[in-house]
Amino acid sequence: MTTEKITFCFNWQTAPYHIPVYLAQTKGYFKDVGLDIALLEPTNPSDVTELIGSGKCDMGLKAMVHTLAAKARGFPVTSVGSLLDEPFTGVLYLEGSGITTDFRSLKGKRIGYVGEFGKIQIDELTKHYGMTPDDYTAVRCGMNVSKCIIEGSIDAGIGIECVQQVELEEWCRSQGRPATDAKMLRIDKLAELGCCCFCTILYICNDNFLEKNPEKVRKFMSAIKKATDFVLQNPAEAWAEYTNFKPAMGTNLARKMFERCYAYLSESLYNVHRDWRKVTAYGKRLEILPEDYESNYTNKYLSWDEPQEAKDPLEAQKLMAAHQDICRASGGYRRLVL
């Protein structure tokens, strides 16, 4: 028997930024290229690279730093494209918690993290700021970082601007507090990385599957590109179709997350060479990659033109931060034009 089925595992439960994958399914774009896609949601996001790397799943989504670390740990995976490009990631906290823009104000605090690499990042930052890992209490929260901050079981936690920070902002509004009381210490600034690309969400493949099924992967990415184009050109219509298929997304909170995710959706889907160089170097600095490690990504399954990289990535990040502030204040579907 032969089959054109691909098993695809999301990086966690259904999220607003998963919209291109689901719309490629609902609009028949996968079917149009002769593919049958089984979409799977993990119960534990930390399992994803192991599931794909071990061949139990063909393809899926994962952040760049996790994709690098997976290959270094013996799980053969390769990125074949980008979904969410450089979402701001950092330590979230609430105004009045005793935490300030000085990282050292985290001394003695309880800091939540999703998986082990979040703790590795915070531990490395403590050295950078003259502290030690014993100067804070690490609490593994999974994807419940904002919930734990609200409940008071942690003082701060690692999250991304377009998901967990939006959750905190909406909670602040519900309490009669300004949304700006939800704060973030961006890890890229704290670590002086010059980009937030370590948390870029990627389309990854099992290497054995990739080697045996190159045409399937090309077809998959072409369907994803068509769906992404539709989302970017028709965000309101796309969101209505998504929430019709996934009613759990039909909330005011999820819509606001999508508005913020919208600016980060990769239009070209290309892996950005500069970002991979920076995150590979960062992985070596975190000591999760060996010094001779070579980045595990490719763009050869994308058949359209590769865009130029930003000439001044730091300026682009400043503009994106201002852009997202406007989106927080006014809402709507907005894309940053450089």
Side-chain angles (χ1 to χ4, degrees), residues 24-319:
Q25 183 87 301
T26 62
K27 298 189 79 62
Y29 297 155
F30 289 136
K31 186 177 180 181
D32 289 346
V33 294
L35 296 179
D36 181 13
I37 311 298
L39 300 178
L40 310 174
E41 295 179 23
T43 55
N44 183 349
S46 297
D47 292 339
V48 175
T49 44
E50 182 175 347
L51 288 170
I52 298 171
S54 64
K56 293 181 176 67
C57 201
D58 302 322
M59 299 183 68
L61 296 175
K62 204 61 183 171
M64 190 182 290
V65 69
H66 299 126
T67 302
L68 285 161
K71 189 71 172 276
R73 291 183 168 191
F75 294 113
V77 296
T78 296
S79 170
V80 293
S82 301
L83 166 60
L84 204 65
D85 194 19
E86 294 193 72
F88 293 139
T89 306
V91 180
L92 296 166
Y93 65 97
L94 291 169
E95 180 73 26
S97 62
I99 300 169
T100 70
T101 54
D102 183 349
F103 180 83
R104 288 164 292 194
S105 65
L106 291 170
K107 189 171 184 177
K109 302 295 186 183
R110 300 160 299 169
I111 305 177
Y113 63 97
V114 176
E116 63 174 309
F117 295 116
K119 185 178 187 308
I120 290 171
Q121 286 180 301
I122 298 297
D123 286 352
E124 197 274 338
L125 283 170
T126 61
K127 299 175 188 176
H128 193 65
Y129 286 88
M131 298 161 59
T132 74
D134 293 332
D135 285 325
Y136 78 99
T137 300
V139 181
R140 188 163 185 163
C141 301
M143 292 299 182
N144 297 315
V145 167
S146 52
K147 178 175 180 286
C148 291
I149 293 173
I150 291 167
E151 291 176 347
S153 56
I154 60 174
D155 302 297
I158 297 176
I160 61 175
E161 180 265 332
C162 54
V163 177
Q164 287 87 2
Q165 186 167 351
V166 177
E167 289 177 327
L168 283 181
E169 289 169 0
E170 291 308 294
W171 178 80
C172 285
R173 287 189 173 106
S174 74
Q175 302 299 302
R177 298 172 61 172
T180 50
D181 274 3
K183 307 286 189 182
M184 174 186 283
L185 295 173
R186 277 172 42 190
I187 289 176
D188 63 308
K189 286 187 172 183
L190 294 171
E192 300 175 352
L193 297 178
C195 74
C196 256
C197 36
F198 63 88
C199 215
T200 290
I201 307 298
L202 307 167
Y203 295 98
I204 69 172
C205 285
N206 171 273
D207 285 355
N208 185 51
F209 173 81
L210 190 57
E211 182 181 356
K212 292 180 177 179
N213 301 278
E215 193 55 34
K216 277 188 183 180
V217 176
R218 287 189 185 92
K219 289 177 178 179
F220 179 92
M221 295 308 295
S222 70
I224 289 292
K225 179 65 165 70
K226 189 173 181 179
T228 302
D229 289 345
F230 177 80
V231 173
L232 295 180
Q233 293 162 16
N234 310 279
E237 183 181 345
W239 186 248
E241 187 167 336
Y242 186 33
T243 55
N244 183 58
F245 181 71
K246 279 285 184 181
M249 290 288 97
T251 66
N252 185 55
L253 175 61
R255 179 184 55 78
K256 288 193 174 185
M257 288 180 185
F258 175 55
E259 289 176 352
R260 296 274 273 280
C261 291
Y262 182 70
Y264 295 120
L265 289 172
S266 174
E267 182 176 6
S268 73
L269 312 187
Y270 268 81
N271 286 289
V272 180
H273 305 291
R274 179 196 63 243
D275 293 351
W276 276 91
R277 288 193 297 270
K278 286 185 176 181
V279 181
T280 300
Y282 183 46
K284 293 174 182 178
R285 173 176 149 186
L286 293 174
E287 299 181 353
I288 61 174
L289 303 178
E291 284 301 317
D292 60 350
Y293 189 89
E294 294 185 7
S295 305
N296 49 323
Y297 76 96
T298 179
N299 287 322
K300 72 178 185 178
Y301 300 96
L302 308 180
S303 58
W304 45 93
D305 291 339
E306 182 173 0
Q308 270 193 323
E309 295 184 11
K311 292 182 179 179
D312 187 344
L314 285 177
E315 180 62 21
Q317 293 266 284
K318 290 178 184 176
L319 292 172

Side-chain angles (χ1 to χ4, degrees), residues 13-27:
Q13 65 190 27
T14 303
Y17 60 81
H18 293 156
I19 187 170
V21 183
Y22 279 109
L23 260 60
Q25 183 87 301
T26 62
K27 298 189 79 62

